[in-house]
Amino acid sequence: MPPNFPEEVEIELGLDEASDSDALRQRLGKKLGVAPASLPEPNILRRSIDARRGSVHFHLIVGLGTTATETLGGAAPREATLPGPPVVVVGDGPAGLFCAYELARHGLPVTVVDPGKLVQPRRHDLKALNQGGTVNSDSNYCFGEGGAGTYSDGKLYTRAHKRGSVRDVIELLALHGAPEAILVDARPHIGSNRLPKVVTALREKLASVGVKFEFGARVVGLLQKVGRVSGVRLADGREIEARAVVLATGHSARDVFVMLAEAGVKLESKAFALGVRIEHPQPLINRIQYGRFADHPKLPNASYRVAETVDGRGVFSFCMCPGGFVVPASTEPGELVVNGMSLSRRDSPYANSGLVIGIEPADVERAGFTGVLGGIELQRRIEQAAFAASSGALSAPATRVTDFLARRASTTVPETSYIPGLTPTDVGPVLDAAGLALADRLRGALGAFDRKLRGYRTEEAVLIGVESRTSSPVRVPRDPVTLEAPGFSGLYPCGEGAGYAGGIVSAALDGQRVARAIAELTGTVTVS
């Protein structure tokens, strides 16, 4: 009688055993107390690096058995079977794209509209942004096909497992060209060089079943009929009739919040975070995290995550990019915003991360920015201060960490991955331009971070301003059951811009959730 093996087994492998199938079998056999030859074919389900306790090794969850898995990507999108107007999805970022995919799985007609450009032509505007400081308000690192995530790394790690099937989102990305490693890595990552092809493949798949896409199409108004949102009005004067409208416009679509407020849609202020990018030499971060194993060829460039509470507000790392680049993420002229990204190989000589301070609605009001859009005005004030501190062409204000802690301006700064270049100065007054004393909170946290990551506080590290688009300062309330905006039947706020997500995967999950709510309302809930 064959042994009764567990479905999953957790084991640890040394760095030199990582690609050795015999070592894997030996370790499994030892843990289960059986001969390695008697084991069924092992299948790695999850892989992570454990660098705690002074030792570095791989932690694996291994599946045993040869049971066939379901087809990658689950149910496919299909041609629309329901007559009548489409569901109009406003925004082609992860929330909008995965909403459209889920709607097409249910056979609903869909039209996606976005004010930006297709993902490949966006590259020309990014080049102009990096090399000349020219900001195209509709096509930049935040706006255009694929949304902000396309050219800012493609990190897929999320804690939003209760919001839907994370596995479904990951599989769909892998099905459309993302590396299969994302199916097993504990912190999956695609890379900004690969994401454009993935986004293009998703769009082409949806177009093949009749989903329509309109780019360069800015929504400026909502149509209403018999107490229900019935479509959208575009800047060119056209009107598109809709059975439902999904707003998946992202955290930086400030014009949409103004449009909604003018239409009488209820908005709420919400907490967000704002700060700087910190950039270190990547070898330094590797030494801090891996110690004596830092140069091992099997190890990727190291990442980190830090958090501290200072004066009642959280200060934490955000969107850490090992082997990455700092990029200009401005969306409007006269404002300076930075973000981080990395390519699939993560082999830049620099590591960067957001270091941001939590801001509550009460903080915004105390600083004199009133109303539900006060958080946006606070963001804008600090972004304008960063632009004013620049030497031009989106060169970013920057301060060595050691100078920042000493409350002085830098006269020189280290080499950087940031293509427009850095302006040596003091980022403290930039952070404090809105009157919230954010610089002192950041100073307090940097000391704590250095105690956790010895060597983090160094003159080789530079603070680059400002990282201000971590999330939306505004939430668009929605009914907890129907997911519609109260008083606006047929209008579905969705994703990061509406305040219901915080990254690529959580935005995709929210898009799917909204799509299922619409499908249930129309009675098309069976996915074949």
Side-chain angles (χ1 to χ4, degrees):
M1 186 174 181
N4 186 20
F5 294 115
E7 291 186 4
E8 296 181 5
V9 182
E10 293 190 38
I11 63 167
E12 295 178 351
L13 282 182
L15 299 181
D16 294 322
E17 300 173 313
S19 56
D20 188 336
S21 58
D22 289 336
L24 174 61
R25 280 187 168 274
Q26 290 288 339
R27 195 61 59 90
L28 286 168
K30 183 177 180 180
K31 179 158 187 175
L32 297 175
V34 300
S38 69
L39 292 168
E41 186 66 26
N43 178 31
I44 297 175
L45 304 177
R46 182 58 57 93
R47 175 179 52 231
S48 60
I49 296 172
D50 188 342
R52 298 171 296 175
R53 300 181 297 276
S55 176
V56 183
H57 56 266
F58 289 98
H59 182 84
L60 305 179
I61 299 177
V62 182
L64 295 176
T66 56
T67 304
T69 58
E70 295 182 4
T71 303
L72 194 67
R78 53 194 172 97
E79 295 275 357
T81 56
L82 199 66
V87 176
V88 171
V89 177
V90 185
D92 194 38
L97 195 56
F98 278 79
C99 181
Y101 199 100
E102 188 70 16
L103 289 166
R105 280 173 160 175
H106 290 82
L108 284 164
V110 185
T111 296
V112 179
V113 297
D114 192 286
K117 297 180 181 179
L118 289 166
V119 70
Q120 295 297 342
R122 280 179 73 184
R123 292 182 185 273
H124 302 294
D125 298 309
L126 299 186
K127 183 177 181 180
L129 190 62
N130 277 294
Q131 296 185 356
T134 303
V135 180
N136 181 327
S137 296
D138 287 329
S139 181
N140 44 63
Y141 277 99
C142 289
F143 296 144
E145 183 180 22
T150 299
Y151 288 111
S152 57
D153 207 71
K155 282 180 284 293
L156 305 178
Y157 177 72
T158 182
R159 296 180 177 181
H161 291 270
K162 294 183 179 179
R163 302 184 188 181
S165 175
V166 172
R167 179 71 182 187
D168 183 45
V169 171
I170 300 295
E171 285 191 5
L172 286 176
L173 292 168
L175 180 66
H176 291 86
E180 291 194 0
I182 68 173
L183 298 169
V184 298
D185 286 344
R187 289 183 173 271
H189 162 259
I190 299 176
S192 295
N193 53 325
R194 292 186 174 183
L195 264 167
K197 294 181 181 179
V198 176
V199 170
T200 298
L202 279 163
R203 186 219 328 134
E204 290 175 345
K205 178 64 176 179
L206 291 173
S208 72
V209 296
V211 174
K212 296 180 180 178
F213 289 84
E214 289 204 31
F215 294 96
R218 177 182 292 278
V219 172
V220 296
L222 301 174
L223 307 179
Q224 296 188 63
K225 185 184 298 182
V226 196
R228 181 177 179 84
V229 172
S230 60
V232 296
R233 181 179 299 108
L234 304 181
D236 62 8
R238 289 185 297 137
E239 295 182 348
I240 302 177
E241 187 180 359
R243 68 177 67 245
V245 173
V246 178
L247 287 177
T249 49
H251 58 49
S252 292
R254 294 168 170 174
D255 60 315
V256 174
F257 294 128
V258 173
M259 178 194 77
L260 293 175
E262 292 176 347
V265 177
K266 183 180 178 182
L267 304 176
E268 296 175 346
S269 300
K270 64 176 281 290
F272 61 105
L274 184 150
V276 295
R277 278 265 143 190
I278 185 169
E279 186 170 65
H280 290 84
Q282 182 64 55
L284 172 64
I285 298 300
N286 291 347
R287 290 195 298 272
I288 291 173
Q289 294 294 70
Y290 295 147
R292 61 189 176 88
F293 299 95
D295 296 324
H296 199 286
K298 294 291 185 181
L299 286 173
N301 278 327
S303 63
Y304 62 83
R305 182 170 174 267
V306 287
E308 188 70 22
T309 299
V310 180
D311 296 333
R313 292 290 181 266
V315 184
F316 52 94
S317 57
F318 174 82
C319 186
M320 196 273 150
C321 300
F325 303 84
V326 181
V327 298
S330 302
T331 58
E332 299 174 39
E335 299 172 4
L336 206 160
V337 183
V338 295
N339 195 6
M341 59 154 278
S342 59
L343 305 180
S344 58
R345 291 174 61 90
R346 286 182 162 174
D347 56 359
S348 155
Y350 304 98
N352 73 78
S353 177
L355 283 188
V356 295
I357 303 102
I359 297 175
E360 297 291 332
D363 300 327
V364 176
E365 289 193 15
R366 187 166 59 252
F369 300 91
T370 59
V372 293
L373 302 183
I376 292 175
E377 293 309 310
L378 187 149
Q379 284 179 326
R380 185 175 276 128
R381 175 75 60 83
I382 293 178
E383 292 165 6
Q384 289 171 345
F387 184 84
S390 165
S391 58
L394 295 186
S395 171
T399 311
R400 293 179 188 267
V401 166
T402 46
D403 288 332
F404 180 75
L405 291 170
R407 300 176 182 272
R408 63 181 177 240
S410 290
T411 56
T412 64
V413 288
E415 294 293 318
T416 181
S417 66
Y418 184 69
I419 294 174
L422 303 180
T423 300
T425 185
D426 182 359
V427 298
V430 173
L431 288 173
D432 291 341
L436 286 181
L438 300 180
D440 278 345
R441 287 196 173 107
L442 181 56
R443 289 187 185 99
L446 281 166
F449 296 161
D450 189 65
R451 289 190 290 274
K452 296 174 183 177
L453 303 173
R454 292 295 184 183
Y456 191 80
R457 181 178 59 186
T458 170
E459 68 174 10
E460 294 180 89
V462 61
L463 304 179
I464 303 171
V466 288
E467 169 84 56
S468 54
R469 306 290 180 90
T470 60
S471 64
S472 172
V474 180
R475 175 176 286 111
V476 188
R478 63 189 187 190
D479 184 276
V481 177
T482 69
L483 306 187
E484 295 168 294
F488 285 79
S489 180
L491 180 65
Y492 293 83
C494 179
E496 284 200 40
Y500 297 99
I504 291 175
V505 173
S506 60
L509 290 173
D510 199 58
Q512 290 181 326
R513 184 185 179 201
V514 165
R516 287 191 289 269
I518 295 171
E520 186 172 350
L521 186 67
T522 59
T524 58
V525 296
T526 302
V527 180
S528 59

